Amino acid sequence: MASFDIVSKVDPQTLENAVNTAQKELQTRYDLRDTKGGIELNKKENTILLSSENSMRIKALEDILLGRVVKQGIDGTSLDFSADEQPSGQLIKKTIKVRAGVDKEFGRKIIKAIKDAKVKVEAQMQDDQVRVSAKKIDDLQAAIAVLRKADIGLPLQFVNMKS
């Protein structure tokens, strides 16, 4: 049986480069030059912390970060901007999660997209990835094509192809 795995991951070095270039842009932008706070990457928790004096500057930091992440070749949907801003003394902080792995909700969406396309493959969740197997490689390639067209809301990579 031929198979491959569907994963969602971000290269940590590329992410660090994107955050570093965003920090440099923050220092050089005239409208944000004298602001307190900034952009910090927490590698252990896989999060990015934005901090500034007001919500308008937090939005500007989000735009800078998103622009730099996309320029580095990372899909913008790998960042989760849904967290609320939290006041912390004189600063407002916002934590942005970097999505890594396919959780159960997105795994169900992936499996449903494959089943709706009626491709002759079998998909199953395994921890933080989805394993797709079939008798023929052509069916696996058809499943990949279906998932590339589908809007899952998560950047997907197809790895570990075995025949």
Side-chain angles (χ1 to χ4, degrees):
M1 295 267 302
S3 67
F4 70 89
D5 296 329
I6 302 169
V7 296
S8 177
K9 57 186 174 182
V10 176
D11 181 33
Q13 184 62 46
T14 308
L15 181 64
E16 185 176 1
N17 290 343
V19 170
N20 289 340
T21 55
Q23 288 171 340
K24 287 179 185 177
E25 183 177 339
L26 176 64
Q27 294 171 352
T28 60
R29 279 202 28 186
Y30 181 74
D31 58 339
L32 300 172
R33 187 170 297 161
D34 295 327
T35 61
K36 295 180 178 125
I39 302 172
E40 299 173 25
L41 175 66
N42 187 342
K43 293 180 188 177
K44 290 182 181 176
E45 295 178 13
N46 215 14
T47 59
I48 301 170
L49 178 69
L50 305 178
S51 58
S52 189
E53 291 99 3
N54 56 36
S55 296
M56 183 183 78
R57 290 189 176 161
I58 292 286
K59 293 290 184 195
L61 291 177
E62 286 178 4
D63 292 341
I64 291 170
L65 178 65
L66 187 60
R68 291 299 167 181
V69 163
V70 170
K71 281 186 181 181
Q72 289 287 336
I74 300 172
D75 193 341
T77 58
S78 62
L79 300 179
D80 185 12
F81 289 102
S82 65
D84 293 331
E85 299 170 355
Q86 301 167 343
S88 174
Q90 294 181 349
L91 296 177
I92 295 175
K93 295 184 177 183
K94 184 170 184 176
T95 304
I96 298 171
K97 293 182 182 177
V98 180
R99 293 180 178 148
V102 178
D103 62 353
K104 290 187 184 271
E105 176 189 339
F106 288 111
R108 286 188 200 115
K109 286 183 181 179
I110 291 169
I111 293 170
K112 184 178 184 325
I114 292 172
K115 285 184 179 179
D116 289 346
K118 297 184 179 171
V119 182
K120 295 180 182 178
V121 297
E122 185 177 314
Q124 59 190 10
M125 279 293 298
Q126 291 184 343
D127 294 331
D128 61 348
Q129 66 185 14
V130 176
R131 165 108 0 123
V132 180
S133 57
K135 291 182 180 177
K136 294 189 244 176
I137 292 180
D138 293 340
D139 294 334
L140 293 178
Q141 291 173 342
I144 290 173
V146 164
L147 290 174
R148 287 205 170 130
K149 291 179 184 175
D151 183 26
I152 303 296
L154 191 68
L156 301 176
Q157 291 89 31
F158 308 102
V159 296
N160 206 14
M161 180 79 123
K162 295 178 183 174
S163 57

